[in-house]
């Protein structure tokens, strides 16, 4: 399970854990058999051909009990491994299996070897087993961490996971942890019951697998349902074809029955044909899927959990085989039930000539076509809603201009002294600005549209002190340098721009966004003085900048404070992103020049992710774009199958009614009248299917609420345009056989038999 806290009264809907809270749980919670820190980090790994920034997981020794997995080679962590860094005689790490294979060639002698992590020698003491995937796939190492027994309540930056004790279910654990919140004032005297009440304080426990798929669960279910709808439409289409084929073969079946073939044998013949067709189609589908899945995975969003593990394996092949057989039985059983119970005597007597079968014979076919169209309406409405939502999202103003901007992540490694970090970034930016084609350059601890919004916490406004029982306001804060706002063309609404001297000034200053100024200062923020957290340093607001969407285009703008690179405790300086505005040409062409600049200053600093702001913006749209693509493909296939279905039925009816049409025309019916009669029959089926589909779409619309952006799940434009479009397609599908019916030669029709 994953532990998180919530303080909506502080405008903090979700918090991780603090050392004080974890110590409270370790001491008093009984519903967990183990509890561990598990913080993701990125560190500098040096000693190879080029310095790298790699993902690691910083964990407690109890982590291996939580995940119930031990290293397959070597040992796990002990309490001696997690003493405070200043006292640690040696650092240790456990290597992930994939990294062991790729970096050390599965050498069992890797134990005892050292690697350089953020400039410190780290000994490898273990290797995790093959197939262990609890940590993200890109993790290279597990590192031990120290949990301060005297840690503070307010530092909620620690992620924690636990394992339920034997015999304890999730609800029981939730009840215990909820009850423990009332004991916080007793265990942590600095926290009062009034504070907890005003903050709306609560704790939540979720299963790890639920947290992994939380953001995509609804989308995955909708995609799965969409696939099921397409399968049903295809089965209905093929079942219709089998009904037609069975009707055409009535004379053959009657003759076989008269010669001694039993109904069971005849039924097995029909079902064998349909199942064989299903299996052949299944094989063809697997071949197409092998190519299609690879393309979709490459296109898939990074936030889709374990997306790169998606592929065709034995389980998928078994499911595909089962579905192929089941589909074959499904669309083969209908003609068996429809015709195997009827008498063949009349068929043999009449020779099967010219029979149309009457209304009852067409009812099953019309019902299948109407069902196809109703399912197609549901899929088209779903894809239409996603398209409308995507258009709205694309129209959102991000608050910056991404054109021609290159972003490059740098990491100095944790523990770099503030003065050294500041000097490095000042020199690096000066050299980058001197590169040919660079118009402006800056750096930030939180790249806009990347899904991260810096750190957050309480602050105080000098001119607006809080009452004694009032909670302080909270906001996000981000570190930036001179040139950051100019590189992204973030407008300066009022005040002055940031300069290089602001990082070292004795008169500290900050910048705030418009939302901050509007929310807390009634729009008048200039020269107001702000202190952050418990700091006594008063920082004057030197400027107000435009709102920027940091968490993504679909997320609300939050009150934000922008700080120059000041104060040693802002450890985020160890990892910053350069933002470079390129005057002309492809921004990515500048990566080599920036790598050379960084390498000349410090060869051990890795240049990691390099991408344009256009790419960053595209990634922020990736999940919706991916879902839209899948729904769009399914809707297009559904529309095509629906059109083919209605065309097939009407064309067959016309072929069966050729003699009747010939009689009508011989008695004076006009070609246009005959065509309209055929189109009317097709459109009657289409209208029934469309109406049923609209009812179904309205009933299912609520499932899409969480996927939509500024679009109602019952959007009138979508629900109005889809039926019109589908009826137009149905009309065209009906008109083609109607035109053929209108060209029937009465003489040939009457003499054909």
């Amino acid at each position: 399970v994953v532990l998180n806290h919530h303080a909506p009264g502080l405008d903090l809907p979700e918090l991780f854990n603090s050392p004080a809270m974890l110590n409270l749980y370790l001491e008093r919670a009984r519903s967990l058999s183990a509890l561990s820190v598990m913080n993701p980090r990125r560190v500098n790994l040096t000693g190879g051909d080029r310095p790298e920034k790699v993902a690691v997981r910083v964990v407690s020794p109890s982590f291996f009990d939580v995940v119930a997995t031990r290293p397959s080679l070597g040992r796990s962590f002990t309490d001696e491994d997690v003493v405070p860094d200043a006292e640690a005689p040696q650092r240790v790490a456990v290597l992930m299996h994939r990294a062991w294979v790729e970096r050390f060639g599965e050498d069992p002698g890797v134990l005892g070897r050292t690697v350089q992590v953020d400039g410190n020698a780290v000994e490898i003491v273990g290797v995790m087993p093959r197939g262990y995937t609890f940590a993200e796939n890109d993790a290279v190492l597990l590192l031990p961490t120290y949990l301060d027994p005297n840690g503070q309540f307010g530092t909620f930056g620690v992620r924690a996971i636990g394992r339920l004790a034997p015999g304890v279910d999730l609800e029981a654990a939730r009840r215990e942890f909820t009850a423990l919140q009332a004991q916080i004032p007793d265990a942590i005297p600095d926290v009062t019951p009034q504070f907890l009440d005003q903050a709306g304080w609560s704790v939540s426990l979720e299963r790890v697998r639920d947290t992994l798929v939380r953001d995509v669960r609804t989308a995955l279910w909708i995609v799965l349902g969409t696939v099921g709808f397409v399968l049903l439409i295809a089965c209905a289409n093929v079942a219709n074809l089998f009904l037609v084929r069975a009707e055409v073969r009535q004379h053959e079946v009657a003759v076989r029955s008269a010669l001694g073939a039993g109904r069971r044998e005849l039924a097995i013949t029909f079902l064998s044909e349909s199942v064989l067709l299903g299996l052949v189609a299944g094989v063809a589908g697997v071949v197409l899927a092998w190519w299609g899945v690879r393309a979709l995975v490459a296109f898939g969003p990074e936030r889709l959990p374990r997306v790169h593990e998606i592929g065709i394996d034995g389980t998928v092949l078994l499911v595909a085989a089962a579905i192929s057989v089941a589909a074959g039985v499904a669309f083969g059983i209908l003609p068996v039930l429809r015709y195997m119970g009827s008498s063949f005597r009349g068929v043999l007597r009449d020779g099967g000539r010219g029979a149309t079968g009457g209304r009852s014979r067409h009812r099953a076919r019309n019902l299948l076509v109407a069902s196809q169209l109703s399912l197609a309406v549901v899929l088209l409405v779903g894809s239409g809603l996603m398209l409308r939502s995507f258009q709205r999202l694309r129209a959102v103003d991000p608050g910056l201009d991404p054109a021609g901007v290159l972003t490059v992540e740098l990491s100095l490694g944790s523990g770099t002294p503030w003065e050294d970090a500041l000097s490095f970034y000042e020199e690096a930016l000066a050299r980058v600005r001197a590169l040919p084609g660079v118009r402006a350059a800056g750096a930030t601890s939180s790249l806009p549209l990347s899904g991260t919004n810096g750190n957050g916490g309480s602050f105080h406004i000098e001119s607006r002190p809080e009452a004694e029982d009032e909670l302080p306001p909270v906001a996000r804060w981000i570190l930036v340098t001179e040139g950051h706002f100019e590189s992204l063309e973030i407008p300066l609404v009022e005040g002055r721009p940031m300069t290089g001297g602001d990082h070292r000034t004795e008169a500290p200053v900050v910048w705030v966004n418009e939302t901050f100024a509007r929310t807390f200062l009634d729009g008048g923020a200039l020269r107001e003085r702000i202190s952050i957290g418990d700091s006594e340093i008063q920082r004057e607001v030197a400027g107000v900048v435009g709102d920027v969407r940091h968490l993504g285009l679909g997320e609300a703008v939050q009150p934000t404070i922008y700080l120059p690179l000041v104060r040693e405790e802002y450890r985020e300086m160890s990892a910053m992103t350069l933002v470079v505005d390129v005057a002309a040409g492809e921004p990515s062409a500048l990566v080599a020049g920036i790598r050379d600049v960084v390498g000349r200053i410090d060869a051990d600093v890795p240049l990691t992710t390099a991408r344009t702001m256009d790419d960053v913006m595209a990634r922020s749209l990736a999940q919706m774009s991916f879902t839209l693509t899948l729904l769009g493909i399914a809707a297009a296939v559904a529309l095509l199958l629906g059109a083919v279905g209605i065309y097939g039925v009407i064309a067959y009816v016309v072929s069966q009614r050729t003699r009747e049409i010939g009689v009508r025309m011989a008695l004076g019916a006009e070609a246009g009248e005959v065509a309209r009669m055929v189109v009317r029959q097709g459109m009657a089926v289409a209208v029934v299917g469309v109406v049923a589909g609209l009812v179904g779409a309205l009933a299912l619309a609520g499932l899409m609420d969480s996927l939509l952006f500024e679009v109602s799940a019952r959007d009138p434009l979508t629900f109005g345009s889809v039926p019109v479009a589908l009826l137009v397609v149905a009309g065209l599908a009906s008109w083609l056989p109607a035109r053929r019916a209108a060209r029937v030669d009465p003489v040939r029709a009457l003499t054909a038999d």
Side-chain angles (χ1 to χ4, degrees):
V1 294
V2 175
L3 279 70
N4 285 310
H5 298 85
H6 313 276
L10 298 176
D11 196 24
L12 297 171
E14 185 165 279
L15 294 163
F16 294 131
N17 302 268
S18 69
M21 291 302 299
L22 291 182
N23 286 321
L24 169 66
Y25 298 147
L26 286 168
E27 178 185 344
R28 305 189 184 189
R30 298 291 177 265
S31 57
L32 299 183
S33 62
L35 178 64
S36 171
V37 171
M38 194 195 80
N39 270 349
R41 272 181 53 195
R42 298 185 73 83
V43 301
N44 290 352
L45 190 65
T46 55
D49 296 336
R50 177 183 294 173
E52 298 178 82
K53 187 176 182 181
V54 299
V56 300
R57 299 296 175 269
V58 180
V59 301
S60 308
S62 56
F63 172 79
F64 302 93
D65 295 323
V66 173
V67 299
T69 306
R70 297 279 168 178
S72 57
L73 187 66
R75 67 173 178 86
S76 56
F77 300 140
T78 65
D79 290 339
E80 287 73 24
D81 294 324
V82 294
V83 292
D85 288 351
E87 304 171 18
Q90 189 173 15
R91 297 186 179 188
V92 297
V94 170
L95 194 63
M96 300 299 289
H97 190 277
R98 181 177 175 183
W100 180 48
V101 172
E102 295 178 353
R103 295 168 182 267
F104 297 95
E106 297 185 78
D107 178 12
V110 71
L111 298 181
R113 292 177 60 175
T114 60
V115 293
Q116 295 291 318
V117 176
D118 283 345
N120 299 302
V122 174
E123 179 189 356
I124 297 174
V125 298
V127 177
M128 294 301 284
R130 184 187 303 274
Y132 168 77
T133 56
F134 184 86
E136 296 177 21
N137 287 338
D138 63 344
V140 172
L141 298 170
L142 296 176
L143 298 173
T145 189
Y146 170 71
L147 183 62
D148 186 355
N150 300 312
Q152 296 181 348
F153 170 79
T155 310
F156 282 84
V158 183
R159 302 188 188 191
I161 57 172
R163 175 173 287 273
L164 295 175
V168 177
D169 62 21
L170 183 60
E171 287 306 317
R174 285 171 172 165
R175 287 193 295 271
E176 183 195 31
F177 273 76
T178 298
L180 284 174
Q181 305 311 298
Q183 301 179 27
I184 294 176
D186 173 55
I188 311 172
D190 292 342
V191 181
T192 65
Q194 292 79 12
F195 171 82
L196 296 177
D197 184 60
Q198 291 181 32
W201 188 263
S202 64
V203 66
S204 65
L205 277 72
E206 289 185 85
R207 295 190 186 278
V208 167
R209 62 171 176 266
D210 292 335
T211 63
L212 287 175
V213 300
R214 179 196 302 168
D215 295 335
V216 297
R217 177 189 296 274
T218 302
L220 291 178
W221 277 114
I222 287 175
V223 169
L224 183 62
T226 298
V227 171
F229 276 21
V230 173
L231 179 64
L232 288 175
I233 293 171
C235 286
N237 219 332
V238 179
N240 231 335
L241 296 176
F242 265 75
L243 277 175
V244 170
R245 192 161 182 261
E247 190 170 317
V248 172
R249 294 175 63 186
Q250 280 188 90
H251 189 266
E252 170 203 336
V253 172
V255 171
R256 292 177 64 182
S257 178
L259 293 176
R263 295 185 184 276
R264 182 178 178 183
E265 291 179 47
L266 295 172
I268 290 175
T269 299
F270 273 87
L271 285 174
S272 299
E273 291 175 357
S274 62
V275 170
L276 179 60
L277 180 63
L279 287 173
V280 171
V283 171
V286 167
V287 173
L288 290 173
W290 189 81
W291 293 99
V293 167
R294 293 179 67 184
L296 286 172
V297 166
F299 172 63
E302 291 180 345
R303 295 181 186 178
L304 190 65
R306 301 170 69 171
V307 62
H308 296 296
E309 295 180 34
I310 298 172
I312 295 178
D313 56 16
T315 303
V316 172
L317 292 176
L318 285 174
V319 172
I323 289 177
S324 298
V325 172
V329 172
F331 58 65
I333 198 72
L334 194 58
V336 170
L337 296 176
R338 181 69 182 82
Y339 294 112
M340 291 301 103
S342 58
S343 173
F344 298 117
R345 186 174 302 171
V347 176
L348 289 174
R349 183 181 63 247
D350 298 336
R353 294 179 294 109
T356 64
R359 293 181 182 273
S360 62
R361 192 62 63 83
H362 300 311
R363 191 173 297 130
R365 292 195 297 269
N366 290 342
L367 179 61
L368 286 171
V369 172
S371 300
Q372 292 179 61
L373 293 177
S374 65
L375 293 174
V377 167
V378 174
L379 295 184
L380 286 168
V381 166
S383 61
L385 290 172
M386 287 298 296
L387 179 59
R388 293 262 295 144
S389 185
F390 189 72
Q391 289 172 336
R392 289 287 184 90
L393 198 59
R394 287 291 299 268
V396 169
D397 180 10
L400 53 85
D401 183 2
V405 176
L406 175 69
T407 70
V408 179
E409 292 183 20
L410 300 178
S411 176
L412 302 185
S414 59
T416 303
W418 170 70
E419 279 288 350
D420 293 346
L422 181 56
S423 297
F424 172 85
Y425 287 117
E426 286 178 335
E427 184 174 356
L429 285 170
R431 294 192 182 191
V432 168
R433 290 173 187 136
L435 291 175
V438 173
R439 186 158 40 203
T444 178
S445 62
S446 177
L447 188 66
L449 302 174
S450 63
T452 60
N453 198 19
N455 277 348
S458 61
F459 65 93
H460 307 275
I461 302 174
E462 186 181 46
S463 65
R464 305 190 182 195
E466 304 95 32
E468 196 168 305
D469 59 347
E470 184 182 0
L471 292 176
V474 296
R476 299 290 180 179
W477 57 262
I478 297 171
L479 296 176
V480 297
T481 70
E482 174 193 13
H484 171 70
F485 300 131
E486 291 79 2
S487 296
L488 293 172
E489 296 189 21
I490 299 172
L492 180 66
V493 178
E494 58 179 335
R496 67 171 179 84
M498 185 179 293
T499 66
D502 292 321
H503 305 304
R504 300 179 183 273
T505 180
E506 295 182 0
V509 290
V510 295
W511 280 253
V512 298
N513 67 349
E514 289 183 284
T515 295
F516 183 100
R518 185 170 54 252
T519 304
F520 301 116
L521 295 166
D522 300 323
L526 283 185
R527 288 176 292 281
E528 290 282 356
R529 298 174 66 82
I530 297 171
S531 61
I532 297 175
D534 296 328
S535 173
E536 296 181 358
I537 299 176
Q538 296 288 335
R539 306 176 184 278
E540 184 177 291
V541 177
V544 178
V545 298
D547 287 335
V548 174
R549 307 257 175 176
H550 275 272
L551 294 177
L553 290 175
E555 302 294 333
V557 176
Q558 295 181 319
T560 305
I561 302 171
Y562 294 96
L563 291 155
L565 300 185
V566 293
R567 306 283 302 175
E568 294 89 326
E569 63 260 36
Y570 295 148
R571 296 173 63 88
E572 285 70 17
M573 283 180 62
S574 64
M576 299 282 284
T577 301
L578 300 186
V579 182
V580 185
D581 185 12
V582 181
E586 175 56 43
S588 300
L590 204 62
V591 173
I594 295 176
R595 179 176 283 115
D596 181 63
V597 163
V598 173
R600 289 175 182 273
I601 301 172
D602 189 338
D604 288 335
V605 175
L607 186 153
T608 55
T609 306
R611 51 187 176 173
T612 66
M613 275 305 298
D614 284 325
D615 291 336
V616 174
M617 182 175 288
R619 286 170 186 259
S620 72
L621 296 168
Q623 185 168 314
M624 181 174 287
S625 177
F626 186 64
T627 307
L628 174 61
T629 299
L630 294 178
L631 286 178
I633 292 172
V637 172
L639 183 60
L640 176 63
L641 290 176
V644 169
I646 197 167
Y647 170 82
V649 166
I650 299 300
Y652 176 71
V653 169
V654 168
S655 68
Q656 293 295 295
R657 297 177 63 184
T658 300
R659 183 181 179 84
E660 174 199 336
I661 292 172
V663 171
R664 287 175 179 269
M665 297 187 73
L667 294 175
E670 297 290 338
E673 184 181 344
V674 170
R676 285 191 294 274
M677 175 191 70
V678 174
V679 170
R680 266 198 312 273
Q681 292 174 344
M683 292 304 292
V685 175
V687 168
V688 171
V690 167
V691 171
L694 286 175
V695 173
L698 283 169
L700 297 174
L703 297 177
M704 297 199 64
D705 271 331
S706 62
L707 298 180
L708 302 178
F709 176 75
E710 294 185 354
V711 173
S712 167
R714 292 170 175 79
D715 177 50
L717 180 60
T718 302
F719 275 84
S721 58
V722 165
V724 173
L726 197 54
L727 289 174
V728 170
V729 172
L732 181 61
S734 302
W735 175 76
L736 293 174
R739 188 179 64 167
R740 190 176 70 181
R743 294 177 177 176
V744 167
D745 184 345
V747 176
R748 291 187 178 182
L750 294 173
T751 59
D753 290 339

